[in-house]
Amino acid sequence: MRHSSKFEQLDLLPYAGKWLVISFLVACLAGSASAVFLHALNWATATREAHRALIWLLPVAGFVVGWCYLRMGRPVEAGNNLIIDEIHDPKKTIPLRMVPLVFGGTVISHLFGASVGREGTAVQMGGALADQLTRMLRLRPEDRRIMLMAGIAAGFSSVFGTPLAGAIFGLEVLAIGRMRYDALFPCFVAAIAADQIGLLWGVEHTHYVVTQVVPVGLASMLGVVVAGILFGVIGMVFANSAHALGAFMKRHVPYAPLRPFLGGLVVAVAVWALGADRYIGLGIPTIVEAFQHPLSSWDFLGKLAFTVTSLGTGFKGGEVTPLFYIGATFGNALAPLLHLPYSMLAGLGFVAVFAGAANTPIATIVMAIELFGPSIAPFAAVACIAAYHFSGHTGIYHAQRVGHAKHRMLPEGLRISELAAYRKTLGKQAVVPAEK
């Protein structure tokens, strides 16, 4: 048996140097794009709040965005799912047009009052921009996978100001129950650098303060377990509802631009008739309120309904910030029932509903520590893991694969979108014909 004459650590130096440079380049692109995007969102939100009547133009805005995607964006319409698919099964470079299309589509959605987020846009821009380096650097397919993962991590990190959670999200979001450790170094370098680059561009992230965390004990932990289960169910309801509405619209409204037009009309009428301005846009002020004092017990349902309507009919943006809103307000509503502090339950709901809907429990536990401090860590771990399990094999990202099933035996590598067909096949096979 032959042995290398060099130390293994010397062999790793070129690898580390290579990915240090590449990851920094990815961070520069993704962090800068996210910074411009966040400044644009701040302008769009301020403009909409100053001119409430803009909500009546939401159907027109939806039609315009839908028409642009129909004419120019079909190759990139899958968004985050396209990036996940390219990581699992590399085929061709993601078109650069994804960046301006999702950037413009999301800013327009916020300007006129759709209830959408921002993570999807940042992740898509980060992934698409990172992928443009593939040809320039002549990377192998395996290296391209790592590059795209670093792009996801950089986009997520820079838009939320959570570099450690962003890095883990880039590793964890690809498959349920499995992470790729070969991308650890690139994802962490890209996420940390992208966050710092965003700060250099003047990005300011919202600070959420958990004012009280109870001591760890049997009663408090049981309460958090119950809350975590409910958070997971809410995450499942959100994901399933958005996918179901999207499928319904595609079946019954063949002309794509007409879908967001109709969705925008429903949202505009509902906002004007119900005075429901608090359920559109990012909803950051309401999220902050959820950490401070009791809110209406139905706020989470209002945001869920408006977001499902917006995303399910084709508006562009993301799901994560609305999930933060839904989780924080639902936690706020549960607090008196479970005899736990409002701010603590709001913080746990903030991360746990997202954990269940995105199947990313580790990233969300780390996010809780980054945002709320280490004292909440034991409770965040319990809530996020419970939510992850009780959301089932569903999720907001249809291209996610099954790496290791949560509680039932499922084929490895199966897409979430293929699970329903797989279960139907199993059901048919289980039927035994009656004897004549």
Side-chain angles (χ1 to χ4, degrees):
M1 183 175 178
R2 297 180 62 185
H3 296 276
S4 173
S5 60
K6 297 188 296 181
F7 290 108
E8 183 180 3
Q9 287 74 14
L10 294 178
D11 294 332
L12 291 173
L13 284 176
Y15 171 87
K18 166 188 167 182
W19 282 111
L20 189 64
V21 172
I22 293 175
S23 300
F24 183 73
L25 291 175
V26 170
C28 289
L29 294 172
S32 298
S34 291
V36 175
F37 171 61
L38 290 176
H39 288 308
L41 277 191
N42 289 339
W43 167 82
T45 300
T47 303
R48 185 191 72 245
E49 291 175 348
H51 303 88
R52 188 168 179 257
L54 283 175
I55 190 70
W56 290 114
L57 293 176
L58 184 60
V60 178
F63 186 91
V64 170
V65 171
W67 184 86
C68 289
Y69 267 84
L70 178 65
R71 300 288 295 181
M72 298 172 284
R74 288 188 178 183
V76 298
E77 191 174 10
N80 291 342
N81 292 305
L82 173 62
I83 297 175
I84 294 173
D85 276 331
E86 284 295 325
I87 293 172
H88 284 291
D89 184 20
K91 292 180 180 177
K92 58 182 180 180
T93 304
I94 296 170
L96 185 59
R97 74 185 74 173
M98 174 181 272
V99 176
L101 280 170
V102 74
F103 182 103
T106 305
V107 172
I108 289 172
S109 296
H110 280 279
L111 176 62
F112 294 101
S115 178
V116 294
R118 51 191 174 175
E119 144 276 338
T121 304
V123 166
Q124 290 175 52
M125 291 193 301
L129 289 169
D131 208 20
Q132 306 313 306
L133 298 174
T134 300
R135 290 180 183 174
M136 295 171 55
L137 302 177
R138 298 179 181 179
L139 297 178
R140 300 172 300 148
E142 190 59 32
D143 287 343
R144 179 174 176 246
R145 289 190 177 100
I146 296 175
M147 173 96 81
L148 288 171
M149 293 168 70
I152 292 175
F156 190 98
S157 163
S158 56
V159 83
F160 291 126
T162 52
L164 302 184
I168 297 172
F169 179 82
L171 297 163
E172 192 177 22
V173 73
L174 305 178
I176 295 174
R178 182 161 296 168
M179 292 173 61
R180 289 189 49 164
Y181 287 88
D182 57 338
L184 271 173
F185 183 69
C187 282
F188 272 89
V189 170
I192 294 168
D195 177 53
Q196 292 299 309
I197 288 165
L199 296 176
L200 290 175
W201 280 102
V203 169
E204 295 181 359
H205 299 291
T206 305
H207 294 284
Y208 305 99
V209 181
V210 173
T211 56
Q212 183 182 0
V213 177
V214 299
V216 174
L218 179 60
S220 59
M221 274 298 180
L222 286 176
V224 170
V225 169
V226 172
I229 292 170
L230 295 175
F231 292 146
V233 172
I234 290 295
M236 177 189 68
V237 169
F238 177 89
N240 288 345
S241 299
H243 292 318
L245 180 58
F248 176 86
M249 294 299 292
K250 287 178 181 178
R251 284 196 307 269
H252 294 89
V253 185
Y255 187 54
L258 192 56
R259 297 170 202 151
F261 176 86
L262 295 173
L265 187 62
V266 170
V267 170
V269 170
V271 168
W272 200 264
L274 303 174
D277 299 74
R278 68 192 285 111
Y279 303 132
I280 60 177
L282 291 173
I284 299 294
T286 305
I287 299 175
V288 173
E289 284 184 54
F291 286 82
Q292 298 171 343
H293 56 77
L295 300 179
S296 299
S297 59
W298 58 81
D299 273 342
F300 76 97
L301 288 174
K303 186 62 173 178
L304 190 151
F306 275 83
T307 305
V308 166
T309 302
S310 299
L311 293 174
T313 56
F315 282 94
K316 302 303 174 184
E319 302 92 346
V320 175
T321 304
L323 285 169
F324 290 162
Y325 184 120
I326 293 166
T329 52
F330 185 47
N332 183 282
L334 288 177
L337 302 177
L338 298 175
H339 305 288
L340 292 169
Y342 286 100
S343 64
M344 175 179 160
L345 260 292
L348 294 178
F350 184 104
V351 292
V353 171
F354 173 39
N359 296 305
T360 54
I362 307 302
T364 47
I365 293 169
V366 173
M367 174 177 272
I369 297 170
E370 286 187 290
L371 292 176
F372 313 133
S375 62
I376 204 170
F379 298 106
V382 170
C384 290
I385 293 169
Y388 165 74
H389 281 292
F390 280 84
S391 65
H393 292 94
T394 60
I396 53 178
Y397 306 119
H398 257 170
Q400 254 180 350
R401 267 56 167 184
V402 175
H404 189 280
K406 297 182 182 182
H407 52 84
R408 292 180 179 175
M409 294 301 296
L410 292 171
E412 185 177 326
L414 200 67
R415 293 171 98 249
I416 285 181
S417 60
E418 299 167 345
L419 287 175
Y422 173 76
R423 286 166 179 154
K424 285 183 180 178
T425 303
L426 284 183
K428 290 178 181 178
Q429 292 174 351
V431 175
V432 179
E435 295 183 6
K436 294 182 180 179

